[in-house]
Amino acid sequence: MYQDSTRRTMKRAVPVITAMAVMLMVVFVGACSKGDQSSKKSLTPTETLKAYIEAAKNKDAAGLKSYLSKGTIEMMEKEAKGKGMSLDDAMKASMAAMPTVESPELGKEEINGDNATVEVKARGNTVKMPLVKEDGAWKVAIDKLMMTMGAGG
């Protein structure tokens, strides 16, 4: 019964991930680890995610990059390399193809040491977006989201 419930939850979460794919995962195919970290050290996980979403809306590649976890960047580098592209080229291609980004509703924030989640609601579904604290700043951990999705299905 628990597995059936988990599968139903994952099936409901898929549209959210799809809706957020362009916004939150546009950088899945490319980003680099460089970015101005100093101005982001005092942001909460929710504020970090809001800033990330705003950067996506503005198609600000440098802004997007600066909010990503090291693990996410490593994952994206592998993806870009697998497509025969540099990270920056993959990022530019994704940004050019990205339609207008809708703002999801951000909900409950939970912090547990250097890990956090923020509820992201879009199109009637909710996903807990993981964030990690690196060098004193919260970072969006798309790699952890992908692992969670893979483990849940």
Side-chain angles (χ1 to χ4, degrees), residues 64-81:
L64 286 169
K65 295 172 195 179
S66 70
Y67 294 107
L68 295 173
S69 70
K70 292 173 186 172
T72 297
I73 290 167
E74 289 173 10
M75 177 185 73
M76 292 178 201
E77 286 173 339
K78 288 178 186 175
E79 180 71 18
K81 186 177 180 180

Side-chain angles (χ1 to χ4, degrees), residues 20-151:
M20 294 171 41
V22 172
M23 176 188 59
L24 293 175
M25 299 184 45
V26 65
V27 293
F28 182 73
V29 295
C32 76
S33 61
K34 295 179 177 70
D36 178 17
Q37 308 299 325
S38 60
S39 63
K40 295 163 187 71
K41 289 189 181 199
S42 62
L43 297 180
T44 67
T46 300
E47 291 168 339
T48 299
L49 195 50
K50 283 180 184 178
Y52 180 84
I53 292 166
E54 190 63 28
K57 286 171 114 178
N58 294 329
K59 297 186 180 187
D60 174 10
L64 286 169
K65 295 172 195 179
S66 70
Y67 294 107
L68 295 173
S69 70
K70 292 173 186 172
T72 297
I73 290 167
E74 289 173 10
M75 177 185 73
M76 292 178 201
E77 286 173 339
K78 288 178 186 175
E79 180 71 18
K81 186 177 180 180
K83 294 182 178 192
M85 301 175 81
S86 74
L87 217 40
D88 287 339
D89 288 343
M91 180 73 158
K92 288 175 189 174
S94 293
M95 296 293 280
M98 185 173 73
T100 303
V101 175
E102 295 178 28
S103 292
E105 178 184 335
L106 301 183
K108 184 177 178 184
E109 173 183 289
E110 294 181 15
I111 299 174
N112 184 7
D114 287 344
N115 293 288
T117 58
V118 176
E119 288 182 352
V120 179
K121 299 175 186 177
R123 299 185 182 191
N125 295 291
T126 302
V127 172
K128 288 187 175 186
M129 177 57 69
L131 291 94
V132 294
K133 193 174 247 186
E134 295 177 350
D135 301 321
W138 289 105
K139 302 292 182 170
V140 178
I142 296 170
D143 60 322
K144 287 189 175 212
L145 177 66
M146 299 299 289
M147 286 190 301
T148 300
M149 289 176 55

Side-chain angles (χ1 to χ4, degrees), residues 3 6-7 10-11 147-153:
Q3 278 188 328
T6 300
R7 285 190 180 117
M10 286 307 297
K11 285 181 182 179
M147 286 190 301
T148 300
M149 289 176 55

